[in-house]
Amino acid sequence: MSGIEDERAIVRPMEIACEGVSFSYEEGDRGVQALSDVSFSLSAGATVALLGPTGSGKSTLLQVIRGLSTPDAGVVRLDGLSPGEPGYAERQRQVGIVFQTPEMQLFAMTCLDDVSFGPQQLGWEDAAVRAAAEEALERVGLPVSVFGNRHPYSLSGGEQRRLALAGVLAMRPRVLLLDEPFVSLDPAARRDLVGIVRALAADGVGLVLATHDVDQAWALCEERLVLDHGHLVSAGAWRFDQDGEADLLAHHLAVPFLVRLWQRLGRSLDTLPREADQAATALASGGRRA
Amino acid sequence: MRTAIAQYYPAESVLHRRDPRVKFVAVAAIAVALFTRDAFAALAVYGVAALVALIVSHVPLRWYWRGLRPVLWLIGLTFVAQLFFVPGPALARLGPLKVSSRGLELATYLSLRLIVLVLVGSLLTLTTSPISLTDAIAWLGRPLRRLRLPTEEIALMMTIALRFIPTLLVEAETITRAQRARGAVFDRGGPLRRARALLPLLVPLFVVSFRRADELALAMEARCYRPGAPRTRMHPLQARPSDWALLALVAAVIVLAWLV
């Protein structure tokens, strides 16, 4: 438990590298190749969108990174360490994973108990558990003084999702893997969650956001990985030249709305806005560039 | 690693095409008949009949194996129990335990009988879709309506339950993984600790199931489902000469097993 104290102060980002990762599973009578020879590396603290149509292997890849599924071939390196090396298991625990519709995992009688579950399982001392749970609840805007003793199922859908996120944050992850975190939230709940995720990223928590919502991905992430049928199609910074667009359009995805708008307006792609406010400011200041 | 209890294997075969009521009755008759006579010869007749059925069912043999796998421990237990605990002159000794020839015979016989029983049961479920199976059960249960038993509704409940088993399995798997990522350990400690450890899996699973049941009930009402209302069938059950032939064949097998 020696690492807890200094982890609280600042988040030390983590490097993630997949090397030749393949994974298959059996469904009924046939094998499904969910991931085929996937290789990429993410620098520490990177914010990365994992894009791909439904069934492209996004969720599987997140679970492989977290070590919940063992790849048939290839390795996932965390901070340059390989599985089995000293410190690897520790780092695996520091990868937080938030499943799709995570509110479906809530099980305790109170919000505080549910959020405390993770740290308790890690064997932390009571005081440390309590501190971590309170801090996590605070982070997601469910202060313990108001929500601590409420029953998880008495919360609204958006609050439940944030509570589930707090359950993962309480374990103080250095990287957060989010699987379609914004699906089926109303606009207000979505806005809240986006704000929380953005604040986490600003604090140095690495972000891997699996989604097929390119607008949200573009607003939140510096880089993107495009996955289709288990193959990694493209990795690295966003590109919107012909090839970059093809990477999206050929794989059941889309070019982000603001990028399309900028293209149609004939504006320079060097000053692409990430969000509506940015776009509005840029447009209001005029200066139409050729 | 999926076990196959009550799984259906869609294929085109003489057995798949048979009337589900006939298959149900045939399998039930054999299951009962299996226990009416203790003789290797009778067992051999059923065994050969089952093997022939397996082959004409066009279901890959490993699907039968999957059905057999989960009950292997039961068969093994039966074998060992009979082997060592049937009294009689000793054939061999293993420390304080002795094996009698009668024990060996009984152990072999009972294990084989269980295997044949499971195979025959698998024949029914693998070649009959759950829907037609429940249709058959509903039809066969019609006499019970006189006792005011809601057989149609029970059959529908069974259909729905069967339909949602795979869905629930997938959900359980997902929740298990999510809780494991939060540090949950499901396979350590004594029985009490293990039972407690299951809470993070069971509570969400129940909540999801109830919610789904609610939604399904509403959706069915929206589509005008009324319990007890007379309903017609999309695929009316109809016994053809070939179905009667199957029944006759099974009857012949049972008689033969009695005579040998």
Side-chain angles (χ1 to χ4, degrees):
Chain A
M1 294 311 105
S2 57
I4 296 173
E5 284 307 316
D6 43 88
E7 257 168 53
R8 188 170 304 170
I10 43 156
V11 178
R12 290 173 295 127
M14 191 191 299
E15 276 172 41
I16 296 177
C18 284
E19 290 169 18
V21 166
S22 296
F23 182 81
S24 60
Y25 58 89
E26 215 180 292
E27 191 173 271
D29 214 15
R30 66 208 174 88
V32 178
Q33 192 70 36
L35 296 171
S36 308
D37 196 16
V38 172
S39 299
F40 62 86
S41 63
L42 308 178
S43 53
T47 55
V48 189
L50 177 53
L51 301 173
T54 312
S56 54
K58 301 190 294 289
S59 303
T60 308
L61 181 55
L62 293 189
Q63 296 190 14
V64 167
I65 293 176
R66 176 55 180 78
L68 294 171
S69 300
T70 310
D72 306 332
V75 287
V76 177
R77 285 190 212 286
L78 304 175
D79 277 344
L81 298 176
S82 308
E85 284 188 301
Y88 187 83
E90 172 81 19
R91 280 173 178 75
Q92 239 176 10
R93 279 200 300 275
Q94 292 165 340
V95 177
I97 181 166
V98 180
F99 280 60
Q100 209 169 334
T101 60
E103 54 274 21
M104 156 170 147
Q105 306 145 21
L106 302 171
F107 70 95
M109 299 298 282
T110 70
C111 294
L112 185 61
D113 282 353
D114 206 281
V115 175
S116 304
F117 177 74
Q120 271 166 356
Q121 296 298 111
L122 292 182
W124 294 5
E125 311 233 334
D126 287 351
V129 170
R130 173 88 191 193
E134 282 190 14
E135 187 194 304
L137 281 166
E138 197 71 44
R139 277 225 91 124
V140 300
L142 303 171
V144 72
S145 53
V146 184
F147 289 90
N149 285 322
R150 284 186 56 185
H151 195 287
Y153 290 112
S154 71
L155 270 53
S156 74
E159 288 167 343
Q160 284 185 10
R161 178 128 350 148
R162 272 145 57 199
L163 180 64
L165 172 62
V168 175
L169 292 181
M171 299 166 76
R172 303 189 193 282
R174 295 163 61 193
V175 179
L176 209 48
L177 314 178
L178 301 170
D179 196 351
E180 293 284 5
F182 306 112
V183 155
S184 76
L185 290 180
D186 63 36
R190 187 187 178 99
R191 208 158 43 230
D192 292 342
L193 191 58
V194 169
I196 293 163
V197 170
R198 185 164 280 152
L200 286 165
D203 283 357
V205 177
L207 204 63
V208 181
L209 174 71
T211 183
H212 45 225
D213 181 341
V214 286
D215 291 315
Q216 200 65 69
W218 168 243
L220 280 170
C221 303
E222 290 296 325
E223 298 173 32
R224 89 280 185 265
L225 299 165
V226 182
L227 205 59
D228 199 1
H229 291 101
H231 292 272
L232 189 67
V233 176
S234 183
W238 292 87
R239 287 167 43 195
F240 298 106
D241 54 11
Q242 213 163 12
D243 289 348
E245 281 197 14
D247 284 341
L248 296 171
L249 296 174
H251 301 286
H252 296 92
L253 295 163
V255 175
F257 170 79
L258 287 173
V259 176
R260 251 185 314 135
L261 181 70
W262 239 233
Q263 288 171 337
R264 288 293 176 82
L265 291 173
R267 292 203 153 227
S268 163
L269 295 189
D270 300 332
T271 57
L272 280 171
R274 293 272 177 174
E275 284 184 273
D277 290 352
Q278 277 177 26
T281 316
L283 290 174
S285 66
R288 184 191 176 95
R289 288 182 46 170
Chain B
M1 275 307 290
R2 225 166 266 183
T3 50
I5 298 175
Q7 266 205 15
Y8 172 55
Y9 183 90
E12 273 294 312
S13 82
V14 248
L15 287 180
H16 281 77
R17 282 194 296 272
R18 289 293 67 74
D19 188 306
R21 293 169 294 182
V22 168
K23 281 191 272 187
F24 190 89
V25 169
V27 166
I30 288 190
V32 172
L34 259 174
F35 287 87
T36 54
R37 190 167 167 228
D38 291 344
F40 273 105
L43 195 57
V45 171
Y46 291 123
V48 169
L51 277 182
V52 171
L54 250 57
I55 290 161
V56 302
S57 72
H58 286 211
V59 177
L61 286 181
R62 66 197 163 87
W63 279 71
Y64 291 101
W65 169 238
R66 278 201 220 171
L68 204 52
R69 208 167 39 190
V71 286
L72 275 184
W73 66 270
L74 181 69
I75 295 170
L77 203 69
T78 311
F79 186 84
V80 172
Q82 298 296 330
L83 192 60
F84 291 119
F85 298 116
V86 171
L91 200 66
R93 282 181 186 281
L94 200 88
L97 300 166
K98 66 179 176 64
V99 176
S100 66
S101 61
R102 175 83 183 124
L104 183 64
E105 199 185 310
L106 257 182
T108 313
Y109 179 78
L110 292 178
S111 313
L112 284 176
R113 185 160 75 181
L114 270 178
I115 290 174
V116 172
L117 183 67
V118 172
L119 286 181
V120 170
S122 298
L123 265 171
L124 174 67
T125 53
L126 283 171
T127 66
T128 318
S129 74
I131 301 263
S132 33
L133 198 56
T134 45
D135 267 0
I137 294 170
W139 190 90
L140 293 165
R142 280 196 321 194
L144 294 172
R145 284 202 87 86
R146 289 185 184 280
L147 302 172
R148 294 192 173 271
L149 270 176
T151 49
E152 287 277 341
E153 285 72 31
I154 291 171
L156 182 69
M157 274 164 56
M158 284 171 54
T159 313
I160 292 172
L162 284 172
R163 150 71 184 78
F164 278 102
I165 286 174
T167 316
L168 275 180
L169 283 178
V170 169
E171 236 140 51
E173 169 86 18
T174 309
I175 297 171
T176 305
R177 277 162 186 258
Q179 306 293 28
R180 270 210 294 145
R182 291 171 70 191
V185 180
F186 294 107
D187 48 6
R188 234 187 279 144
L192 197 69
R193 182 147 169 224
R194 277 187 195 216
R196 271 187 65 87
L198 278 180
L199 276 184
L201 169 62
L202 292 183
V203 173
L205 208 53
F206 268 92
V207 172
V208 170
S209 310
F210 281 125
R211 196 173 292 161
R212 179 160 291 139
D214 253 356
E215 279 167 12
L216 183 65
L218 277 179
M220 283 171 67
E221 269 182 50
R223 290 162 74 185
C224 299
Y225 173 77
R226 267 189 309 126
R231 294 215 300 286
T232 52
R233 301 194 170 280
M234 189 164 169
H235 303 288
L237 295 171
Q238 202 173 14
R240 295 190 175 76
S242 44
D243 294 312
W244 292 109
L246 176 67
L247 220 44
L249 195 63
V250 167
V253 167
I254 293 174
V255 170
L256 183 65
W258 260 96
L259 295 179
V260 289

